[in-house]
Amino acid sequence: MFNRLKNHSRIARLIVLTPVAFLGGCADRPFWLFHPHGPVAGAEFHYLIADVIVLSAILLPVTALLIWVLRRYRAAARAPHDPRWTHSTRLEIVVWGIPLLTVGVLAYLSYQGVFAVNPYGPRVLARAAAPERAAAQVSAEPGAGLEVDVITTDWQWLFVYPSLHIASANELVVPTHVPIHFRLTSATVTNDFFIPQLVGQIYVMPGMRTEQSMIADRPGAYHGIDAEFSGPGFSWMDFKVRALPRAKFEAWVRRAEHSNRRLSFRTFARFARPTVNLAGTITRFSKVQPGLFAHVVAQAKAGKAYPTPYAFTEDMHEAKFLRHAD
Amino acid sequence: MLVHLPPPWNPIFGRLGLILHYRYNNPMIFFAFELVFVGAAILLFWLTCTRRWHTLWRDWLTTVDHKKIGVMYIVIGLVMLFRGFFDALMIRTQQAMAVGPTAVSFLGAAHGYLPPFHLDQVFTAHGTIMILLAVTPILVGLMNLIVPLQIGARDMAYPYLNAVGLWLTATAAALVMIALFIGDFSHAGWVGLTPLTELAYSPGPGVDYWIWAVQIGGLGTTLGAVNLLATIIKMRAPGMTWPRLPIFTWTSVATNIIALTSFPVLTAAVGMLALDRYVGTHFFTAGLGGDLMMYTNLFWTWGHPEVYFLVLPAFGMISEIIPTFSEKPLFGYTTMVLASMAIAGVSWSVWLHHFFTMGASPGVNTYFSIATMLVGIPTGVKVFNWLFTMYRGKLHFETPMLWAVGAIFLLISGGMTGMMLAVPAINYIVHNSVFVVAHFHNMILVIVYATFGAVTFWFPKVFGFKLDGRYGRRFFWSFTAGSLLVFVPMYLLGLMGMTRRLDYIAHPAWYPLLLIQVVGIGIYILSVIYFLGMLAVSINRRETRRVGADAWGSARSLEWATRSPVPFYNFAVTPVVHARDEWAWRRERGLTDLRPERYVDIHLPRNTVVPLVIGAFSLVFGFAMVWRIWWMAACGLVGVIAAVIIRSFARDTDYVVPAEEVRRLEEAAARAPRPDTATAAAGATLPPHAQPSVRS
Ligand code: HEM
Ligand SMILES: [Cu+2]
């Protein structure tokens, strides 16, 4: 099913994109959702196309019929008028049957899709475990891929690489072709982890742990977004994503390891104070205290909060606010 | 103080000292202040100059007449629609200005002119107002107006309760307006995202304003639902059996079952949130045993049925307008009734589609996905049935018909995107994006179109003259152009990956489409002008636009079988119903003479000030609770309870219009088909017996 969709979607992409491409302005490929660079986002895009095709097969003819009726039976057209024609059992069956059939097809599609991109173990990733990917395993990671712990604060992202003992704030760097497994939690309010070109959304909630998985197929820079409104600093809470070939990734890890910023439970508490990342600051940490993720979850469960100051962003130019800006 | 709050607080003024911290020098606030207070001053001045205080008091403020209550609901809704539109204007201009790191920055914003402190209030107020205080009141108002007429009743089952519902809605609207000037409004979205709404993350009074506006307004809507259901079940005219019930009344049944069963869930959820904020419980906090997703579940257990609460009456209106202007009965009446009930039934079991991305197991998401898509079946059936109603019909594109047909096109596109969102694999990439925002605006536009259609359709019934068609058409086309220019780019932006509620736009690629949306908003402003022009022109030339009982010449249901404007007693004698489309049935048999053979006494409810008093005390209560002025809240609550108790002892709550008087009024109306509208608005002036009795 999934593979067959691929061909359709290429045609559909042409049809959909041609008229709207020029609307996107000058940036190349502004429609992030139409240019997935990983199997999870790819599957999500293909389900989008498949769904649109099935729906269009019904809705376009209905729309055409509607327009035809509106023209044909306008009073001026003097078409036959039959005010007694108000019931037809055969038509009633058609009328219930067509939507029923459509929903049946879509329900099957949806059922498949749920498992294909299930954040707790997407089937498309299992399928995507091609030999080249196996060959590209990161040295520090003996198992099936790379673990990344995602911790959100008000209003920053912290990406902890527990097996590498490093962390990176507001930038996620991953090797290409390697399955990345995320565990996510929040120190404060609910956020929503989203990299449009690589993987769909998953909530990041305080005192709870969610998971997500993805693979980046191509090296490149991507945009990570906090999709769930989380308070005054929310709009500046996006993060950069870089997918690097294996060698470059390892070089990046080594640089992070040499960072003189350490991350312990105590320094995390300082990091988690309300901060609006106005300048898009990126920080790297070395020697991350093991168990930070579990610590944050436990603290949130125990009632730890990082309160938002009163009328925090009423004036973003004054010193009171700028103390919280990065 | 019950919970730990940052100071100031004192027993007399509660937290009111906080307002010294706000910056009232912001020109935006000044502008809003001007608009509201200068507007109110002009209104008061006009009322005094034209000596209308007495009329206002007697005919409107103390009335229990379902038609006037309906009109007042609609007026409140339109005023709040206007307020919500200003909010939209600000959101759109802010986003178009705040693109890229080098964006202009003034009025305390880092980018654009609205810092998050303001923008977050604006979009929260926009959503809360538009759903709960604009569209809901307008729909409740229309049901209030039309349902009793369609079933041949004299009034609602509980006229006094009806007025209580109205004034509670007005109180909620007043609280939201007060929040504009005294303190701030919630910053946490119209859905009240937890734990953002908890004290740690929203320490100000904003969320409290939101809580009490939602609670008081929600109570009003619940009472309205009880009333409408009781009316439809118990007050039908002889012969008005269930299979003859007009379709709009059927959709009102479905929609009020939804309201009655779902609003209490909202009340409970927001009530628990209030406990968290006021007495320090931990229902929805992140820690200490709280479960924040429980709130999300409860909110959408109400929230999803609520969106169908809104759309079902709209389906009813479309189903009334299309047959009238096709000169043909509705195709598949039984199917339409079944479809409405099916939509209501399914609407309770789909709430989780609003947070597929929570990380539930695949089984859960599959179930809610399929349940959601099931709603598409009865919705699709409705579209087909409207299509077959027009097939072999004789279509007249008067303004109501334009709105109804426009609504069908919108329903097709909104249904399509809804069916996309219902697939979790797709939802994961568009949830929380402006694609969702475009989807539900598309759907709510279905309601708005149907409602504008219904207002033009039933306006002559209520006021006795038609709205101007030329301005009506200009209004329609400019509104349509505005909608397309705002929402088509919004869909595209969603596919580009733009998420919702942004104060700052980091990606310049989104700029052109944001700009097109601003143009669309400009065209919306034009359409507002045409709307006001339509009202002005129609009222000015009303004498030449008078209509008879059947304003459109091809109307079908029972409400057209009485005079236009409808007299205060609705029907001279209780009608006897013979067929599903009673008026069409009578017209085909030439039985359109409205004079009855015999007049009888008419028994009607008497005016009362109690609902207004209840509304006033609940406003005091709500305001005091927001600012935690406990003594004042106690006074407000005691006032409400006392008013309810005192009223329950009132005996003299109704009066009789003698048969002779009815004859005199009917014959006078028949002789003078063009009465002066100043007194005829929404019915005729009340006879002396209708004065409020001293005791109640
Ligand atoms: C075929 C019918 C429909 C389907 C399948 C459908 C599906 C959905 C889905 C799946 C969502 C969740 C999107 C997300 O947040 O990820 C949604 C959101 C929404 N829909 Fe619909 N919908 C339908 C009809 C309607 C109607 C008739 C209305 C309103 C009258 C409506 C109003 C809304 C609103 C208000 C929201 C989201 C509110 C928010 O998040 O702030 N929908 N719809
Ligand atoms: Cu829903």
Side-chain angles (χ1 to χ4, degrees):
Chain A
M1 180 85 197
F2 178 70
N3 280 332
R4 251 178 296 141
L5 285 174
K6 256 187 171 148
N7 292 327
H8 290 303
S9 63
R10 212 156 285 147
I11 302 164
R13 195 185 313 201
L14 253 177
I15 297 170
V16 176
L17 283 189
T18 315
V20 293
F22 70 96
L23 279 174
C26 34
D28 70 320
R29 307 196 156 172
F31 287 85
W32 289 339
L33 301 193
F34 296 165
H35 298 283
H37 282 192
V40 180
E44 284 161 344
F45 172 62
H46 289 300
Y47 280 102
L48 180 98
I49 295 298
D51 194 73
V52 169
I53 289 174
V54 173
L55 284 167
S56 304
I58 307 302
L59 292 179
L60 289 183
V62 170
T63 310
L65 190 63
L66 181 60
I67 293 170
W68 176 77
V69 165
L70 287 174
R71 287 185 53 83
R72 178 79 182 86
Y73 292 99
R74 64 188 198 279
R78 298 189 193 290
H81 178 215
D82 182 1
R84 268 156 317 184
W85 189 75
T86 64
H87 179 82
S88 150
T89 310
R90 211 176 316 155
L91 264 181
E92 299 267 325
I93 293 170
V94 175
V95 154
W96 285 90
I98 292 180
L100 196 71
L101 214 70
T102 318
V103 168
V105 174
L106 291 181
Y108 178 68
L109 202 76
S110 173
Y111 159 77
Q112 266 201 328
V114 167
F115 287 91
V117 299
N118 172 20
Y120 297 96
R123 282 199 183 153
V124 286
L125 282 202
R127 220 165 315 174
E132 27 144 4
R133 286 199 173 105
Q137 290 304 343
V138 182
S139 54
E141 191 52 41
L146 179 67
E147 302 289 332
V148 178
D149 289 344
V150 181
I151 303 171
T152 57
T153 67
D154 276 354
W155 294 272
Q156 298 192 77
W157 294 88
L158 184 65
F159 301 99
V160 180
Y161 299 72
S163 54
L164 305 171
H165 307 290
I166 55 167
S168 160
N170 305 316
E171 185 187 43
L172 171 66
V173 181
V174 294
T176 48
H177 303 299
V178 175
I180 316 290
H181 302 298
F182 300 99
R183 299 189 300 165
L184 311 96
T185 194
S186 166
T188 56
V189 302
T190 305
N191 289 295
D192 189 0
F193 177 81
F194 183 30
I195 310 172
Q197 287 183 276
L198 294 180
V199 68
Q201 302 170 23
I202 185 80
Y203 282 179
V204 186
M205 296 169 288
M208 288 181 252
R209 188 203 66 221
T210 46
E211 293 176 18
Q212 185 63 286
S213 301
M214 69 173 203
I215 292 177
D217 274 346
R218 264 174 270 177
Y222 305 96
H223 300 280
I225 298 181
D226 175 21
E228 177 94 339
F229 178 68
S230 61
F234 154 78
S235 305
W236 294 272
M237 192 181 166
D238 40 16
F239 55 96
K240 304 205 166 42
V241 183
R242 275 192 295 149
L244 302 176
R246 183 179 161 189
K248 282 193 178 163
F249 176 74
E250 279 171 359
W252 177 82
V253 170
R254 273 194 300 281
R255 250 175 297 143
E257 279 166 346
H258 287 117
S259 165
N260 50 14
R261 288 186 168 240
R262 312 277 157 87
L263 197 58
S264 64
F265 295 173
R266 235 193 36 242
T267 48
F268 174 79
R270 209 170 320 135
F271 173 81
R273 280 175 321 180
T275 306
V276 181
N277 193 13
L278 278 180
T281 308
I282 293 168
T283 320
R284 277 177 232 138
F285 300 92
S286 59
K287 303 230 167 54
V288 177
Q289 186 168 354
L292 182 62
F293 186 86
H295 170 74
V296 171
V297 174
Q299 275 213 313
K301 274 189 167 162
K304 172 84 182 150
Y306 297 86
T308 310
Y310 181 70
F312 184 54
T313 53
E314 194 170 10
D315 187 343
M316 298 173 83
H317 297 302
E318 67 174 4
K320 184 182 111 197
F321 170 80
L322 289 174
R323 272 203 303 279
H324 291 275
D326 228 359
Chain B
M1 278 231 298
L2 300 174
V3 289
H4 175 72
L5 277 175
W9 181 85
N10 73 50
I12 298 175
F13 295 111
R15 297 183 88 193
L16 269 176
L18 271 180
I19 61 175
L20 299 176
H21 293 262
Y22 293 95
R23 279 151 224 276
Y24 280 101
N25 56 1
N26 190 317
M28 298 306 296
I29 297 178
F30 180 70
F31 177 69
F33 188 83
E34 287 280 284
L35 210 65
V36 172
F37 283 83
V38 172
I42 291 174
L43 192 68
L44 295 185
F45 185 70
W46 177 77
L47 283 169
T48 312
C49 282
T50 53
R51 295 169 197 281
R52 281 179 208 256
W53 279 106
H54 183 68
T55 326
L56 181 71
W57 178 261
R58 191 196 51 196
D59 287 356
W60 298 94
L61 298 185
T62 62
T63 191
V64 291
D65 182 333
H66 74 96
K67 299 177 287 299
K68 289 179 177 167
I69 289 180
V71 170
M72 283 190 281
Y73 262 120
I74 295 172
V75 170
I76 292 175
L78 286 175
V79 170
M80 295 313 282
L81 196 66
F82 195 59
R83 155 80 206 269
F85 177 67
F86 263 93
D87 292 336
L89 191 75
M90 286 195 273
I91 302 170
R92 291 272 60 85
T93 44
Q94 163 68 17
Q95 287 196 338
M97 278 162 96
V99 182
T102 55
V104 287
S105 108
F106 43 97
L107 300 182
H111 303 98
Y113 70 107
L114 291 172
F117 178 76
H118 288 299
L119 184 85
D120 299 350
Q121 290 182 63
V122 169
F123 68 63
T124 304
H126 173 75
T128 309
I129 286 174
M130 286 306 202
I131 299 253
L132 283 168
L133 297 169
V135 178
T136 303
I138 291 176
L139 293 175
V140 172
L142 274 167
M143 288 191 277
N144 239 297
L145 260 172
I146 301 305
V147 165
L149 293 174
Q150 281 202 327
I151 61 173
R154 291 255 175 258
D155 204 308
M156 298 283 272
Y158 312 115
Y160 153 71
L161 191 68
N162 200 16
V164 174
L166 169 75
W167 292 112
L168 290 180
T169 305
T171 297
L175 267 181
V176 177
M177 290 310 285
I178 290 173
L180 198 52
F181 307 115
I182 307 180
D184 56 352
F185 195 62
S186 170
H187 303 247
W190 79 277
V191 303
L193 298 163
T194 45
L196 201 56
T197 43
E198 294 287 351
L199 272 179
Y201 303 105
S202 295
V207 173
D208 301 327
Y209 266 117
W210 177 81
I211 287 178
W212 295 109
V214 167
Q215 291 297 56
I216 294 173
L219 187 62
T221 310
T222 315
L223 295 179
V226 172
N227 208 347
L228 272 158
L229 282 178
T231 306
I232 298 171
I233 293 170
K234 301 298 285 185
M235 308 275 286
R236 281 168 290 137
M240 181 58 85
T241 54
W242 290 104
R244 287 181 188 161
L245 213 56
I247 197 77
F248 178 67
T249 302
W250 263 119
T251 55
S252 300
V253 174
T255 220
N256 284 298
I257 292 176
I258 294 181
L260 186 58
T261 49
S262 68
F263 266 90
V265 183
L266 176 70
T267 305
V270 176
M272 283 185 270
L273 178 65
L275 286 175
D276 278 6
R277 288 182 62 88
Y278 281 82
V279 301
T281 53
H282 289 279
F283 285 108
F284 306 133
T285 53
L288 302 172
D291 184 350
L292 54 104
M293 287 316 285
M294 180 56 84
Y295 171 84
T296 314
N297 273 283
L298 289 175
F299 182 88
W300 287 113
T301 305
W302 163 77
H304 184 84
E306 160 71 11
V307 304
Y308 283 92
F309 167 83
L310 299 177
V311 90
L312 278 170
F315 288 166
M317 295 163 193
I318 300 172
S319 306
E320 296 285 355
I321 294 170
I322 286 183
T324 300
F325 296 99
S326 305
E327 298 192 30
K328 212 173 144 256
L330 185 67
F331 181 89
Y333 168 91
T334 318
T335 314
M336 286 304 238
V337 173
L338 287 178
S340 303
M341 291 297 164
I343 290 176
V346 177
S347 76
W348 289 301
S349 45
V350 301
W351 74 89
L352 192 133
H353 66 219
H354 291 274
F355 44 100
F356 277 138
T357 51
M358 164 178 75
S361 71
V364 171
N365 279 1
T366 305
Y367 164 77
F368 279 99
S369 164
I370 294 176
T372 301
M373 290 197 278
L374 289 182
V375 180
I377 299 174
T379 312
V381 168
K382 292 209 169 222
V383 171
F384 278 116
N385 280 4
W386 292 322
L387 202 142
F388 291 130
T389 304
M390 292 189 282
Y391 180 73
R392 297 197 195 153
K394 206 172 189 184
L395 308 185
H396 303 273
F397 293 100
E398 306 259 4
T399 351
M401 184 66 164
L402 285 182
W403 289 111
V405 170
I408 301 181
F409 281 107
L410 285 165
L411 182 62
I412 292 175
S413 58
M416 164 136 176
T417 54
M419 295 294 272
M420 290 162 69
L421 290 168
V423 176
I426 302 171
N427 187 284
Y428 295 160
I429 47 174
V430 281
H431 174 62
N432 268 341
S433 75
V434 293
F435 188 86
V436 171
V437 181
H439 154 72
F440 68 77
H441 279 86
N442 185 335
M443 277 301 186
I444 288 168
L445 279 173
V446 173
I447 300 162
V448 171
Y449 271 57
T451 307
F452 283 141
V455 167
T456 1
F457 182 55
W458 279 310
F459 189 91
K461 183 83 269 175
V462 178
F463 291 97
F465 59 96
K466 278 193 196 178
L467 287 171
D468 186 75
R470 248 197 8 232
Y471 271 89
R473 264 190 290 280
R474 282 178 200 163
F475 174 40
F476 171 82
W477 287 113
S478 52
F479 194 87
T480 303
S483 302
L484 288 174
L485 283 175
V486 172
F487 294 108
V488 172
M490 198 182 282
Y491 272 128
L492 296 178
L493 281 169
L495 295 173
M496 289 166 120
M498 178 175 164
T499 47
R500 61 196 290 198
R501 298 177 172 137
L502 287 175
D503 188 29
Y504 164 62
I505 308 296
H507 305 286
W510 301 342
Y511 183 54
L513 289 173
L514 287 169
L515 223 49
I516 296 178
Q517 293 189 356
V518 177
V519 175
I521 287 280
I523 294 182
Y524 267 141
I525 294 177
L526 184 71
S527 80
V528 173
I529 294 170
Y530 280 135
F531 173 76
L532 296 176
M534 175 178 75
L535 285 186
V537 168
S538 318
I539 292 174
N540 254 334
R541 308 204 193 122
R542 62 178 175 272
E543 291 315 323
T544 60
R545 317 184 56 81
R546 293 254 163 241
V547 295
D550 180 356
W552 303 101
S554 56
R556 311 193 64 83
S557 42
L558 185 62
E559 74 270 25
W560 304 99
T562 183
R563 286 197 275 116
S564 309
V566 183
F568 63 91
Y569 42 78
N570 288 3
F571 294 87
V573 298
T574 301
V576 175
V577 177
H578 310 83
R580 184 171 290 161
D581 287 342
E582 175 68 10
W583 180 250
W585 185 89
R586 292 192 195 176
R587 188 175 49 228
E588 278 154 24
R589 286 162 186 74
L591 305 171
T592 50
D593 189 356
L594 296 178
R595 267 171 305 178
E597 286 159 12
R598 203 167 65 83
Y599 288 96
V600 289
D601 292 355
I602 294 178
H603 182 202
L604 284 175
R606 197 190 284 280
N607 281 10
T608 163
V609 298
V610 178
L612 189 63
V613 170
I614 291 178
F617 275 118
S618 49
L619 182 60
V620 170
F621 171 76
F623 182 79
M625 286 303 286
V626 168
W627 293 99
R628 305 184 192 223
I629 313 172
W630 306 130
W631 63 268
M632 196 167 148
C635 291
L637 195 60
V638 169
V640 171
I641 295 171
V644 171
I645 292 177
I646 292 171
R647 161 75 189 191
S648 68
F649 286 105
R651 288 270 162 74
D652 188 18
T653 58
D654 37 22
Y655 68 99
V656 168
V657 188
E660 254 329 287
E661 173 111 13
V662 181
R663 173 197 301 283
R664 194 180 58 73
L665 288 167
E666 283 291 301
E667 281 170 5
R671 264 195 318 273
R674 312 210 151 172
D676 174 24
T677 36
T679 57
T685 22
L686 291 175
H689 338 281
Q691 301 302 313
S693 75
V694 192
R695 259 183 298 146
S696 53

